[in-house]
């Protein structure tokens, strides 16, 4: 499903963010990516959705070799994965409904199907009643629900999240985690970079710890493992 | 692309105009200012050209033929002139006709010349028009060198002044065009700079969600088109009303022979069409420019 082979990433300014990384993530897994700030978690995530290319090595996602995808084909590749970010990345001039619908319009789905499916996922993340609101009219937690709805609306096999609870209070974070668990239960692979110790220690899943661009720990039902 | 996707792009482009509120306003204003300038300038240039053309049309060379020339000589001269480069028409006007014309032109005073009908002091004349009025001087000089040519007249002095005036006017026109283009580019690139920050995030997100570059470009393209058309409304209205009134009230006051404005009726429509097309082009160009940077290809 997701495989990295001898991946190295050096940014143009010379910073070595990932330094020889091998990993395999199987379909249906739920994986936390932890590690200190600047360890390379976001870089690791970005390479999975082809925002960054590795300097050397190979990355396979859904059977595609990412380094060889042309820039103009990147959006096509991304249709098969869902992405969730700390800062939500919603279109500010679009309503909640329109933000989610956009992901389906892009792949030219039937309008009736879009209407039905968007309301369905908005219901799933518990925000159906605010479908007509703009992101600026929603709380952080609500915006993240919209972003999650968008990430799953096309039934991707993988959802990748970079600190999805980073901007949320603890209670809201738990609610968001429940949604991710629900998504994972339905068979979707989830890869999530996080600093949230409580969550990692309570919802036990596979934990990959990255330090200085290398995997230093990979446990089946691991702990967060760092003091805050 | 499916037809409903095209419809979606149209819908989206209209929505964007409302969604982007003041950005729409800024872009439309930029186009409005630019087109108003272009429009005023266009009206000036086209009228100036029209007047210059009128004046130039009247410029001709008159070659007077010596009385010593016989019929064949005269025919030969005519043939030689016709074979020169850049000649539009050559008309032979015998001296009798010249005299009649003169007498007619002078009206009552013409009677004084009546006695000359027996012993005409005038000459046979070739009246030559050149394809390009600016060639008149060159053609006149050349004909002067032919046999049996007594003198060549083309409004010496007057024609040179006229041409230098027309040339200066046209050069000023070119300078104005260039200046205007720079103004337009400055205004529009500034507006784009303002909108770019907001749009960069928008495009980034669209690409994240799987929108291809073409898909992203379409609404922008259409939005630019609408902005351009919106921006051309005020200039078209303004210039039409002003020109219509200028033509109606000011033009009859000018009685100078050559100075005559282009008739309002087709002219206003022509200028409007030019402005709307320019607006569309500027709008589309500006809009696509603002996306181009962020569409990684
Ligand atoms: N675009 C970039 N250009 C240059 N250097 C970068 C870039 N992005 C990240 N880096 C550097 O790469 C290293 C890894 O950064 P990364 O964002 O992957 O860390 P992280 O583990 O996500 O940290 P955090 O927990 O703070 O989000 C850091 O030293 C960072 O400064
Ligand atoms: Mg990070």
């Amino acid at each position: 499903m997701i495989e990295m082979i001898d991946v190295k990433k050096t940014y143009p300014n010379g910073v070595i963010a990932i330094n020889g990384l091998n990993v395999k993530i199987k379909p249906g897994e739920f994986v936390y990516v932890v590690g200190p700030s600047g360890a390379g978690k976001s870089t690791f995530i970005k390479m999975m959705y082809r925002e960054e290319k590795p300097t050397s090595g190979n990355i396979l996602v859904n059977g595609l070799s990412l380094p060889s995808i042309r820039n103009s084909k990147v959006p096509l590749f991304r249709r098969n994965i869902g992405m969730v970010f700390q800062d939500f990345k919603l279109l500010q001039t679009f309503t909640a409904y329109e933000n989610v619908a956009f992901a389906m319009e892009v792949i030219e789905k039937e309008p009736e199907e879009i209407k039905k499916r968007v309301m369905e996922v908005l219901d799933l993340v518990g925000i159906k009643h605010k479908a007509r609101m703009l992101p600026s009219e929603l709380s952080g937690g609500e915006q993240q629900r919209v972003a999650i709805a968008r990430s799953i609306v096309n039934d991707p096999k993988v959802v990748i999240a970079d600190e999805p609870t980073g901007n949320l209070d603890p209670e809201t974070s738990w609610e968001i985690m429940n949604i991710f668990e629900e998504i994972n239960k339905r068979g979707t692979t989830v890869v999530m970079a996080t600093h949230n110790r409580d969550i990692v220690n309570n919802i036990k899943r596979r934990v990959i710890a990255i330090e200085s661009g290398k995997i230093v720990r990979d446990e089946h039902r691991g702990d967060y493992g760092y003091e805050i | 692309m499916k037809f409903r996707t095209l419809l979606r792009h149209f819908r989206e482009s209209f929505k964007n105009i409302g969604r982007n509120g003041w950005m729409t306003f800024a872009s439309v204003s930029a186009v409005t200012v630019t087109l108003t300038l272009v429009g005023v300038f266009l009206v000036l240039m086209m009228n100036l050209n029209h007047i210059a053309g009128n004046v130039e049309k009247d410029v001709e060379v008159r070659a007077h033929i010596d009385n010593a020339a016989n019929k064949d000589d005269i025919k030969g001269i005519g043939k030689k002139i016709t074979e020169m480069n850049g000649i539009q028409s050559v008309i032979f006007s015998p001296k009798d006709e010249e005299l009649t014309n003169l007498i007619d032109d002078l009206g009552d005073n013409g009677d004084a010349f009546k006695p000359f009908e027996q012993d005409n002091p005038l000459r046979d004349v070739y009246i030559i028009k050149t394809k390009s009025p600016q060639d008149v001087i060159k053609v006149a000089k050349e004909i002067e060198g032919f046999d049996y040519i007594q003198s060549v007249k083309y409004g010496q002095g007057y024609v040179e002044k006229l041409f230098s005036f027309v040339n200066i006017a046209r050069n000023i026109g070119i300078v104005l065009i260039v200046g205007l283009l720079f103004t337009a580019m400055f205004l529009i690139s500034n507006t784009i700079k303002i909108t770019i920050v907001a749009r960069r995030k928008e495009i980034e997100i669209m690409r994240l969600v799987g929108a291809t570059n073409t898909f992203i470009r379409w609404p922008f393209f259409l939005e630019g088109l609408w902005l351009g058309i919106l921006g051309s409304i005020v200039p078209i209205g303004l210039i039409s009303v002003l020109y219509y009134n200028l033509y109606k009230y000011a033009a009859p006051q000018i009685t100078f022979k050559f100075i005559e404005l282009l008739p309002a009726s087709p002219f206003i429509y022509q200028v409007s069409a030019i402005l709307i097309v320019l607006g569309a082009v500027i709008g589309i160009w500006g809009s696509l420019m603002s996306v181009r940077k962020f569409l990684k290809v």
Side-chain angles (χ1 to χ4, degrees), chain B:
Chain B
M1 185 171 57
K2 291 182 181 165
F3 180 67
R4 69 160 171 272
T5 306
L6 187 66
L7 285 182
R8 182 248 169 220
H9 291 323
F10 268 87
R11 225 180 321 114
E12 207 58 32
S13 70
F14 289 128
K15 277 196 208 161
N16 275 345
I17 291 194
R19 279 169 180 156
N20 293 323
W22 73 269
M23 263 163 29
T24 298
F25 177 75
S27 312
V28 171
S29 307
V31 176
T32 299
V33 171
T34 307
L35 288 188
T36 306
L37 289 171
V38 171
V40 167
F41 164 77
L42 212 62
V43 167
L44 286 177
M45 269 308 277
M46 286 172 84
N47 272 293
L48 192 72
N49 221 29
H50 176 65
I51 293 167
N54 274 351
V55 174
E56 285 177 342
K57 253 193 299 195
D58 277 22
V59 174
E60 58 190 24
V61 178
R62 297 175 65 86
H64 299 251
I65 298 157
D66 201 292
N67 281 340
N70 62 30
K71 274 214 168 86
D72 286 342
D73 294 331
I74 294 172
K75 258 195 196 146
I77 292 169
K79 195 160 172 277
K80 254 169 103 179
I81 294 172
T82 316
E83 282 166 358
M84 287 167 69
N85 282 332
I87 303 296
Q88 192 186 4
S89 67
V90 180
I91 295 164
F92 181 67
S93 170
K95 53 185 169 187
D96 299 342
E97 199 179 308
E98 287 289 297
L99 186 64
T100 319
N101 286 346
L102 184 65
I103 293 169
D104 287 353
D105 279 356
L106 292 175
D108 290 345
N109 300 330
D111 292 345
F113 286 87
K114 284 254 159 95
F116 289 118
E117 272 172 0
Q118 303 312 312
D119 186 16
N120 189 344
L122 298 179
R123 308 279 188 244
D124 295 330
V125 173
Y126 272 115
I127 300 164
I128 302 131
K129 291 221 168 185
T130 51
K131 280 185 192 136
S132 159
Q134 313 256 348
D135 281 348
V136 159
I137 299 166
K138 201 184 82 208
V139 167
K141 287 263 148 61
E142 207 172 320
I143 294 172
E144 245 170 10
F146 290 1
D147 289 339
Y148 300 113
I149 295 291
Q150 194 213 19
S151 67
V152 179
K153 297 226 162 56
Y154 60 91
Q156 283 93 332
Y158 161 73
V159 163
E160 279 91 347
K161 261 189 212 135
L162 174 72
F163 286 162
S164 77
F165 168 76
V166 168
N167 282 337
I168 287 170
R170 283 195 179 130
N171 284 337
I172 290 174
I174 291 168
V175 170
L176 274 177
I177 285 188
V178 173
L180 214 64
L181 283 179
F182 272 107
T183 317
M185 273 155 58
F186 174 78
L187 278 174
I188 289 157
S189 72
N190 254 8
T191 316
I192 291 170
K193 263 185 220 150
I194 300 166
T195 59
I196 233 161
V197 185
R199 295 256 134 144
R200 144 181 262 144
K201 272 190 106 181
E202 192 177 324
I203 292 163
E204 229 171 64
I205 294 169
M206 289 176 171
R207 280 179 59 87
L208 275 178
V209 185
T212 57
N213 289 344
T214 316
F215 191 93
I216 295 173
R217 245 186 234 121
W218 261 99
F220 275 92
F221 168 82
L222 293 171
E223 198 185 326
L225 179 65
W226 309 142
L227 292 181
I229 291 174
L230 282 177
S232 68
I233 291 175
V234 170
I236 286 177
L238 204 70
I239 286 167
S240 299
V241 170
L242 286 181
Y243 192 81
Y244 179 76
N245 285 299
L246 181 76
Y247 186 74
K248 195 167 162 200
Y249 298 111
Q253 312 290 329
I254 311 168
T255 46
F256 234 146
K257 185 178 168 203
F258 301 118
I259 300 184
E260 154 195 286
L261 295 177
L262 286 159
S265 167
F267 183 61
I268 286 177
Y269 300 117
Q270 288 161 359
V271 170
S272 301
I274 293 174
L275 288 182
I276 214 167
V277 169
L278 270 180
V281 170
I282 291 174
I284 291 169
W285 175 78
S287 190
L288 288 184
M289 278 293 291
S290 72
V291 233
R292 206 190 53 164
K293 264 184 86 172
F294 307 116
L295 297 174
K296 299 181 193 165
V297 270

Side-chain angles (χ1 to χ4, degrees), chain A residues 1-2 38 42 66 88 93 115 120 149 162 200 227:
Chain A
M1 164 113 311
I2 299 174
S42 291
L66 300 198
F88 323 130
T93 55
K115 214 174 278 172
E120 198 177 294
D162 193 353
V200 178
E227 298 304 320

